[in-house]
Amino acid sequence: MKFDKRVKLTNNKVLNKDGEYVVYWMQNAMRVEYNHALNYAVKRANLLGKPLLVIFVINLKYPEATTRHYKFMLEGLSEVRQELKDKNIKISFLIGDALDCVLDVCEKASFLVAEKGYLKHEIEIRKKLSSKVNIPMFEVETNVIVPVEEVSNKEEYAAYTIRPKINKLISYYALELESFEINKDSLNLKVSNEIEFNVEDIMKLLSVFEDKYSSEFKGGISEARRYLDDFIKNKLNFYEEKRNDPSLDYQSNMSMYLHFGQISPLEIYLKTKDEKNSDHYIEELVVRRELSYNFVYYNKNYDNYRSLPNWALETLEDHSRDNRKYIYTLEELENFNTHDTYWNACQKQMVTTGKMHGYMRMYWGKKVIEWSNDYKEAYKVLIYLNNKYNIDGRGPNAYAGVAWCFGKHDRPWFEREIFGKVRYMNENGLKRKFDMESYLKKIGEKRQ
Ligand SMILES: Cc1cc2nc3c(=O)[nH]c(=O)nc-3n(C[C@H](O)[C@H](O)[C@H](O)COP(=O)(O)OP(=O)(O)OC[C@H]3O[C@@H](n4cnc5c(N)ncnc54)[C@H](O)[C@@H]3O)c2cc1C
């Protein structure tokens, strides 16, 4: 296993030889297998002769999270708990502010392992933790195949600029992880304030937006692997040709499992790369996905309009006063109440199932731009809706996806009203390419 470039010591504190345990703070890689951070923590704990304590902090008001996100996350954690137990490793669940909870547990620890973060709030909390904690802190990168700083030291312009950089390094990093065993059982360790883990009880404590729809997807590694196996067996071979058609179901459904780190991109990559016709899938899973990580890591405006390239900002400014035929309020959009049946259908798909089809996300975003007076407002609305209803929302792909609708990672096209040189999409394109009646029927059959 190549740990060298995945692991960073983030402070120069002295190791506490008398610590009772080693701590791994699990946050965005909620899995046991293909988890470099967990592997690293076990390896170092064994070397030191200490048990390993895994902790997970449940923040009842996590930024933008809604009940569908929590439920999916907790379902996954329930499996993690069992898998760790089978390996004689304790996971303690705490409720509260992550910084305070991790610092408390670290009082009795020898050192701390955490995963690397990419979004602003993830980076911020790691910085604070690293300076406040009294023990060494290691950050381990496990949610991308090639470590983000190894790929590039700057924001990449588009897929064509990052692709060769990733391709050069991928065989070095895409390696199976060694299986591991902990030497010292930690199941009897007790942490003050730890809670009994029970999904229903925790759900009752939440004070976030409550869904009237229960999502179609269940969280956890078993479900992720069930979808993945079915995809490899029945769909991967036809992915290039059929994935864009919203009336069909030829995507892998990995996005939400990847978002919560319930499955590793490395596992998916290793299982698909040698299959027939897997190139297009690998392009999405690795190049496009890791371009999104590069985007949020190096562009601190990733969550707002200022993230766009100059050509897009300039052309949009030139068209900011163009006449708009339709303008919709957030309420009308949220309740799929526009004149456009296809748009209403995909918004409804996202609200009622927790996942909008990939091709429709592009159309969806473009239309909100067309129906808003103000591009900045449209940007905010798209992030708000995407993150509230897609289970895979709130991560690097969400921000890159919305930015793409405004020209990010794309190129200038022919100039036209409202969009300027930013790529445009219309319903005739949908009708020409796909059986949209069938898509409508499929969504119409969903719950109202
Ligand atoms: C406006 C808009 C919003 C989006 N919001 C999100 C989001 O919140 N979360 C999210 O994960 N993706 C988002 N995407 C990207 C893409 O639509 C989804 O990743 C994909 O539809 C998820 O379904 P899947 O896992 O079945 O995909 P598959 O087609 O089976 O692809 C496999 C994996 O490749 C990656 N991938 C696929 N397409 C893209 C892409 N265009 N960019 C980056 N990575 C990609 C994802 O990790 C995905 O899980 C958005 C795209 C747009 C245009």
Side-chain angles (χ1 to χ4, degrees):
M1 182 169 23
K2 301 258 167 45
F3 273 132
D4 45 357
K5 304 277 170 53
R6 287 193 190 272
V7 181
K8 278 209 175 90
L9 177 62
T10 63
N11 59 17
N12 52 10
K13 311 284 170 76
V14 182
L15 183 132
N16 175 9
K17 286 198 187 110
D18 301 325
E20 279 179 31
Y21 43 71
V22 165
V23 172
Y24 163 35
W25 171 41
M26 182 180 277
Q27 194 245 343
N28 58 29
M30 303 177 206
R31 61 176 177 270
V32 175
E33 286 181 65
Y34 293 92
N35 181 339
H36 299 85
L38 176 62
N39 270 41
Y40 183 73
V42 168
K43 196 170 171 176
R44 292 286 310 254
N46 284 345
L47 278 173
L48 206 61
K50 305 274 178 192
L52 175 68
L53 174 68
V54 180
I55 56 167
F56 190 92
V57 184
I58 302 168
N59 175 347
L60 298 175
K61 290 181 192 160
Y62 199 81
E64 297 181 283
T66 64
T67 48
R68 68 179 61 187
H69 301 115
Y70 279 100
K71 184 154 181 294
F72 191 87
M73 177 181 89
L74 295 169
E75 285 163 350
L77 286 170
S78 174
E79 277 192 82
V80 168
R81 188 172 73 128
Q82 188 55 49
E83 283 183 59
L84 286 174
K85 194 172 170 200
D86 295 343
K87 289 184 176 293
N88 295 323
I89 300 174
K90 163 89 179 260
I91 179 165
S92 288
F93 292 92
L94 301 155
I95 287 188
D97 173 71
L99 183 63
D100 294 341
C101 291
V102 182
L103 283 172
D104 268 2
V105 175
C106 284
E107 290 286 314
K108 293 185 195 155
S110 292
F111 63 89
L112 166 67
V113 176
E115 305 115 11
K116 187 175 177 69
Y118 304 89
L119 300 177
K120 285 182 274 193
H121 62 272
E122 290 178 337
I123 294 173
E124 186 63 20
I125 190 172
R126 283 161 177 76
K127 263 195 195 150
K128 285 187 185 155
L129 194 53
S130 174
S131 75
K132 289 194 171 178
V133 78
N134 289 324
I135 48 176
M137 170 167 159
F138 297 90
E139 261 183 33
V140 185
E141 191 154 11
T142 188
N143 285 327
V144 285
I145 298 182
V146 186
V148 78
E149 289 180 18
E150 290 302 300
V151 174
S152 177
N153 58 7
K154 61 176 197 309
E155 187 188 355
E156 289 294 329
Y157 190 74
Y160 77 87
T161 65
I162 203 171
R163 191 179 298 112
K165 298 182 180 179
I166 291 178
N167 286 343
K168 208 166 94 190
L169 297 170
I170 195 156
S171 57
Y172 181 84
Y173 286 103
L175 300 176
E176 281 288 351
L177 269 78
E178 290 157 14
S179 61
F180 62 86
E181 245 176 67
I182 195 82
N183 292 347
K184 284 205 165 165
D185 182 330
S186 60
L187 293 176
N188 291 325
L189 285 176
K190 276 261 173 272
V191 168
S192 58
N193 299 333
E194 67 183 350
I195 56 153
E196 276 296 314
F197 184 86
N198 178 298
V199 177
E200 282 77 36
D201 289 350
I202 298 170
M203 290 300 291
K204 281 185 207 143
L205 301 174
L206 296 174
S207 53
V208 292
F209 168 76
E210 203 168 322
D211 272 313
K212 84 175 166 218
Y213 301 98
S214 57
S215 140
E216 204 172 81
F217 299 92
K218 185 171 184 273
I221 186 66
S222 310
E223 277 292 282
R225 288 196 180 130
R226 193 176 64 77
Y227 278 113
L228 183 61
D229 292 348
D230 175 53
F231 176 71
I232 294 172
K233 196 163 156 225
N234 302 311
K235 300 177 183 175
L236 178 57
N237 194 18
F238 309 98
Y239 181 75
E240 178 187 357
E241 177 197 336
K242 298 186 175 176
R243 73 184 152 135
N244 282 338
D245 189 336
S247 70
L248 304 175
D249 177 20
Y250 275 83
Q251 291 191 280
S252 66
N253 285 329
M254 286 298 101
S255 55
M256 54 200 100
Y257 299 97
L258 283 165
H259 171 74
F260 286 94
Q262 294 177 354
I263 193 163
S264 144
L266 178 61
E267 173 173 355
I268 307 176
Y269 174 76
L270 292 173
K271 286 181 171 169
T272 51
K273 76 180 173 59
D274 297 325
E275 294 289 325
K276 207 166 123 202
N277 289 333
S278 63
D279 295 6
H280 281 81
Y281 187 68
I282 302 294
E283 164 77 10
E284 302 298 337
L285 174 76
V286 184
V287 176
R288 296 279 163 175
R289 183 172 178 273
E290 299 199 3
L291 177 63
S292 303
Y293 277 76
N294 167 278
F295 170 55
V296 298
Y297 195 66
Y298 289 115
N299 188 328
K300 295 304 165 219
N301 285 315
Y302 65 77
D303 54 357
N304 68 70
Y305 184 71
R306 279 173 295 155
S307 67
L308 302 182
N310 286 339
W311 71 263
L313 289 171
E314 280 162 20
T315 192
L316 290 172
E317 176 57 31
D318 289 346
H319 289 269
S320 58
R321 278 172 261 331
D322 289 358
N323 187 39
R324 270 80 169 159
K325 195 167 167 198
Y326 301 98
I327 299 286
Y328 291 108
T329 61
L330 175 61
E331 198 186 352
E332 286 166 326
L333 294 171
E334 196 155 4
N335 293 311
F336 24 97
N337 195 8
T338 75
H339 70 285
D340 181 334
T341 329
Y342 300 146
W343 193 93
N344 293 344
C346 66
Q347 168 71 18
K348 183 175 170 187
Q349 182 178 36
M350 174 172 72
V351 171
T352 57
T353 70
K355 184 182 187 242
M356 189 190 297
H357 186 275
Y359 194 86
M360 293 309 290
R361 294 192 200 205
M362 299 190 273
Y363 180 79
W364 174 80
K366 295 288 183 185
K367 290 296 135 185
V368 173
I369 297 176
E370 194 176 329
W371 301 335
S372 305
N373 258 328
D374 176 343
Y375 301 116
K376 289 186 189 138
E377 199 48 39
Y379 205 104
K380 274 193 205 153
V381 164
L382 285 170
I383 288 181
Y384 170 79
L385 293 174
N386 185 86
N387 289 356
K388 182 170 177 182
Y389 292 109
N390 277 320
I391 302 174
D392 60 23
R394 304 178 298 132
N397 273 357
Y399 295 107
V402 169
W404 177 87
C405 297
F406 292 80
K408 188 86 205 170
H409 299 151
D410 203 0
R411 65 175 173 84
W413 291 73
F414 302 112
E415 191 146 8
R416 53 163 297 126
E417 58 186 10
I418 305 174
F419 286 81
K421 292 179 186 156
V422 171
R423 186 197 295 252
Y424 173 70
M425 286 172 81
N426 69 14
E427 67 171 58
N428 289 335
L430 293 178
K431 283 195 275 197
R432 203 174 53 243
K433 292 183 192 145
F434 313 119
D435 178 0
M436 290 306 290
E437 285 314 303
S438 197
Y439 177 64
L440 292 184
K441 198 161 163 240
K442 184 164 132 182
I443 306 304
E445 283 165 4
K446 303 275 177 209
R447 291 151 293 185
Q448 293 292 320

